[in-house]
Structure formats: C-alpha cells, structure tokens
Amino acid sequence: MSCAIVTGSARGIGAAIALRLAKDGFDIAFNDISEKAFEDNDIVDRVRALGVQAEVFVCDVSRFDKCEEMVKAVRERFGSIDVLVNNAGITRDNLMARMTEADYDLVISVNQKSVFNMMKIVTDVMRKQRHGHIINLASVVGVYGNPGQVNYSASKAAIIGMTKTVAKELGSRNITCNAVAPGFIHTPMTDKLTEEQRNAMLSRIAMKRYGEPEEIAGVVSFLASEDSSYVTGQVIEIAGGLSI
Ligand code: NAP
C-alpha cells in the first residue's frame, strides 16, 4: 500500500485532501499542530472506514527537528512515503503599515519554512525509493498579491519558486513537485473574512461562487496519481476563473 502525508489535515482543505487520497487507496499520515484539532471531528474515522490505514502525527511543521521526528515515525508505521502534501498554513492579515514583525515572521515560518522542512526530509526518503509526488498549497495571492496579506502572499509566492526549483533538482529521480493555487475556498480560514471582503472577491470570480475543499482535493488527487507522471514544476490555479 502507498502512503501519503498531508500536513495540517485535521480540517478544511487538508481534511478533504486526506479523504480523497484515502478513496484513491493511499494510507494516510495525518498531521496537525495539536491532537485536539482531531477531537473536534471524525475525519480519521471516516478515512479508516474506507479500508485504508490512518494515523495522526502531531507536530508543528515550522520546526525542522519536529518534522524529522515525525517523518521517522511515519516511516516506521507505513514503510514508504509516496506522496507529500504541504497543506498546513495560517493567516495573520493586516495592512503592512500595521503588521507586526512577529506576525510577518510567524506566517513565513509556518507557511514557507515548513515546506522546506518537509520537502528536504521527505525527499531523502523519496530519492532512495526513486519515486514520489510532492504537492504544495500555494495561493492565487502568491501570484497576484492582496492588500492586507504582505506576509501571506510572500509565503505563497516563495512556495511557487520552491516548487519549480525542487522540480528541477529532483525530476531525474522520478520525483514530481507541483503546486496548486486555490482562490477563495469555503473553509474555517476564509470564514474569518468580513461580508464586505467576501462580496468583493465574489464579484471578481467568473464562476460567481466560492470553491469547495473537495474541488482542491480532486486536483491534488490527479497530481498524486500516475496520470500526472509527466507533470512537474507546475502551478495549477483552482479559482473559478478569478484571474482571467
Ligand atoms: P485551515 O482551515 O485554517 O486549516 C489549516 C490547518 O493547518 C489547521 O488545522 C491548522 O491547525 C493547521 N496548522 C496550522 N499551523 C500548523 C503548524 N505549524 N503545523 C501543523 N499544522 C498547522 O486552512 P485551509 O483554508 O484549509 O487552508 C489549507 C491550505 O490552503 C493553507 O496552506 C492555505 O494557505 C491554502 N489556501 C487556502 C485558501 C482558502 O480559500 N481557504 C486559498 C488559498 C490557499 P490549527 O487550526 O490548530 O491552527
């Protein structure tokens, strides 16, 4: 059986990705920053009910040493690591003039440094296996920018650069590395936005609706499958036509 690690998968897009990859037949290594996040829902039970193995590995992915411990534990539990989905992410929005240095550093650390941590450690395993798929969660704001998100947009733009670089470094080892760039998706992260911010976004979306986590999970499923075996270094926007 193949194994997929999905970071930040207790809820939102990460939980939808874990469920979809389980339906595709992957064993799932769940991750989140706290055990409690999994107590609030039944995502692990829903995945196990599909007949695959699932385990929770609690770890702050912004910490390199903790990521090393987690990946070691995942290998001991599942053997191989075939798919890595770097999904964990946070926002600390404010106009740059009002943003604190601490909020800038925190978002870069959780959203961007975590992707370095996990890709560096997991590709050590994937190189030896001579196969693997990495999918990173970027965002349309990493491409186009967004007022109030100088920290978040910087982290997501960096993820795009990192994705293309790792695709070039590891393509010859049969490891693909791609990113998805969601637009506005219904999750606890976007529930925090004001009605005014939501309506402003909606007016710019060609499909005139927000996306659902399952619509991100479907594209991730493709990028984790052998149907995308010759796709690497790409950024796929999933935004209902936000940018056209
Ligand atoms: P979400 O509902 O807030 O879920 C993110 C998960 O990551 C939470 O369970 C969170 O745990 C966890 N997490 C936070 N910091 C972590 C850490 N240091 N280590 C491990 N786990 C951590 O977010 P989402 O909307 O599903 O977003 C998922 C990804 O898609 C993010 O990378 C986000 O930037 C990206 N994205 C989302 C949208 C959107 O419209 N929703 C658009 C573009 C891109 P806690 O709850 O305990 O903090």
Side-chain angles (χ1 to χ4, degrees), residues 226-244:
E226 291 318 299
D227 286 342
S228 64
S229 52
Y230 202 51
V231 179
T232 197
Q234 303 305 302
V235 182
I236 302 181
E237 284 191 22
I238 313 168
L242 179 68
S243 59
I244 51 177

Side-chain angles (χ1 to χ4, degrees), residues 57-127:
F57 299 86
V58 171
C59 142
D60 175 353
V61 286
S62 69
R63 296 267 315 268
F64 190 84
D65 56 342
K66 298 292 172 195
C67 290
E68 279 187 312
E69 287 171 19
M70 174 170 73
V71 171
K72 186 167 177 278
V74 172
R75 281 196 79 193
E76 281 165 9
R77 174 69 178 79
F78 292 112
S80 68
I81 301 177
D82 305 279
V83 172
L84 165 64
V85 184
N86 283 309
N87 167 82
I90 59 168
T91 51
R92 291 294 183 276
D93 297 350
N94 220 329
L95 291 174
M96 187 171 69
R98 292 198 210 116
M99 187 175 288
T100 63
E101 184 186 5
D103 276 350
Y104 185 85
D105 288 346
L106 180 66
V107 168
I108 296 297
S109 175
V110 174
N111 294 9
Q112 176 189 334
K113 170 83 178 346
S114 66
V115 175
F116 168 78
N117 294 345
M118 289 301 290
M119 289 202 298
K120 180 171 166 62
I121 299 162
V122 170
T123 56
D124 202 35
V125 179
M126 288 177 169
R127 270 202 313 271

Side-chain angles (χ1 to χ4, degrees), residues 96-170:
M96 187 171 69
R98 292 198 210 116
M99 187 175 288
T100 63
E101 184 186 5
D103 276 350
Y104 185 85
D105 288 346
L106 180 66
V107 168
I108 296 297
S109 175
V110 174
N111 294 9
Q112 176 189 334
K113 170 83 178 346
S114 66
V115 175
F116 168 78
N117 294 345
M118 289 301 290
M119 289 202 298
K120 180 171 166 62
I121 299 162
V122 170
T123 56
D124 202 35
V125 179
M126 288 177 169
R127 270 202 313 271
K128 287 167 191 143
Q129 294 172 173
R130 293 198 72 81
H131 79 91
H133 299 293
I134 302 169
I135 301 106
N136 295 323
L137 271 285
S139 166
V140 288
V141 310
V143 182
Y144 306 106
N146 199 27
Q149 293 197 307
V150 70
N151 49 2
Y152 184 82
S153 58
S155 71
K156 296 300 182 180
I159 287 172
I160 291 171
M162 293 160 80
T163 298
K164 293 179 182 183
T165 299
V166 170
K168 286 184 175 180
E169 288 187 5
L170 293 174

Side-chain angles (χ1 to χ4, degrees), residues 8 11 13 32-33 60-61 87 138 152 156 183 185 187 189-190:
R11 64 176 200 196
I13 293 171
D32 216 281
I33 194 162
D60 175 353
V61 286
N87 167 82
Y152 184 82
K156 296 300 182 180
I185 311 300
T187 69
M189 181 181 272
T190 48

